[in-house]
């Protein structure tokens, strides 16, 4: 009876669960997939020393040309590469490894790729405010007095001519 009342109360209050952000940990997962590629054979994942060396080589590799976001994740991953190698040894999926690592180093999952913007073709209204702020920051533009999403959208549209 109490459960029914609780369910009705929550539904009346408009209780909603927040969906996880699909872009959370995206760069960390990319780096781990590159690491798995570099290691090749699953047998190599079993050797923690090889995994740790591969992390160092991947992050230092000039030929691979990691993007800025991936280099940043490498920087955050370096001090905790022992935890990465332990999880890889246990065949934990990349997404789960990143979620677990974010408990040790919260910055790992906060790194995101740049938002792709095409002049005249980008629907800024479809983007989140966080992404709009990132676009403006990448353009080197301040948005003083921006409070509502519409303010950020207008500022992005008015500075669209600037290079990212």
């Amino acid at each position: 009876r109490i459960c029914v009342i609780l369910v009705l109360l929550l539904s009346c209050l408009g209780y909603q669960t927040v969906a996880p952000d699909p872009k959370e940990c995206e760069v960390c997962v990319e780096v781990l997939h590159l690491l798995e590629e570099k290691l090749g054979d699953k047998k190599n994942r079993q050797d923690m020393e090889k995994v740790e060396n591969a992390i160092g080589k991947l992050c230092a590799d000039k030929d691979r040309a990691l993007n800025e976001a991936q280099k940043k994740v490498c920087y955050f991953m370096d001090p905790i590469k022992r935890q990465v190698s332990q999880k890889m040894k246990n065949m934990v999926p990349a997404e789960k490894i990143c979620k677990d690592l974010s408990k040790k180093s919260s910055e790992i999952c906060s790194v995101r790729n740049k938002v792709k913007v095409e002049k005249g073709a980008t629907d800024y209204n479809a983007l989140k405010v966080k992404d709009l702020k990132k676009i403006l920051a990448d353009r080197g533009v301040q948005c003083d007095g921006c409070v509502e999403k519409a303010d950020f959208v207008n500022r992005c549209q008015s500075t669209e001519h600037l290079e990212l």
Side-chain angles (χ1 to χ4, degrees), residues 3-142:
C3 291
V4 173
I5 293 171
L6 184 61
V7 168
L8 290 173
L9 181 62
L10 288 175
S11 64
C12 291
L13 292 174
Y15 177 75
Q16 296 177 352
T17 58
V18 177
D21 188 355
K23 292 185 178 185
E24 185 181 21
C25 297
E26 69 178 334
V27 181
C28 176
V29 171
E30 287 173 11
V31 170
L32 289 180
H33 286 306
L34 290 172
L35 180 61
E36 288 171 355
E37 231 176 75
K38 190 165 191 72
L39 287 167
D41 190 354
K42 286 188 177 189
K43 189 177 183 182
N44 290 332
R45 285 182 69 165
Q46 298 297 313
D47 186 346
M48 290 173 55
E49 195 69 33
K50 281 185 181 178
V51 173
E52 290 172 28
N53 289 334
I55 291 171
K57 288 177 184 173
L58 175 71
C59 294
D61 191 356
K62 303 293 182 203
D63 296 334
R64 186 165 283 279
L66 297 176
N67 66 35
E68 290 303 312
Q70 291 168 337
K71 288 177 186 175
K72 201 171 197 179
V73 167
C74 279
Y75 174 79
F76 294 131
M77 197 177 282
D78 189 55
I80 56 175
K81 58 185 168 187
R82 176 59 61 159
Q83 285 90 354
V84 176
S85 62
Q86 180 66 48
K87 302 242 182 238
M88 289 192 89
K89 178 182 176 189
N90 294 331
M91 304 305 278
V92 177
E95 293 80 8
K96 176 81 170 108
I97 293 173
C98 289
K99 293 281 186 201
D100 291 348
L101 291 178
S102 70
K103 294 172 187 167
K104 300 265 185 210
S105 176
S106 61
E107 298 90 358
I108 282 188
C109 283
S110 66
V111 178
R112 291 177 176 227
N113 285 318
K114 285 188 174 183
V115 180
K116 294 188 180 12
V117 178
E118 294 179 29
K119 291 181 182 178
T122 303
D123 180 13
Y124 293 108
N125 289 308
L127 299 175
K128 294 182 176 185
V129 173
K130 186 174 187 175
D131 293 331
L132 296 172
K133 287 180 180 179
K134 179 118 174 69
I135 290 169
L136 292 172
D138 290 344
R139 292 179 181 167
V141 175
Q142 295 286 326

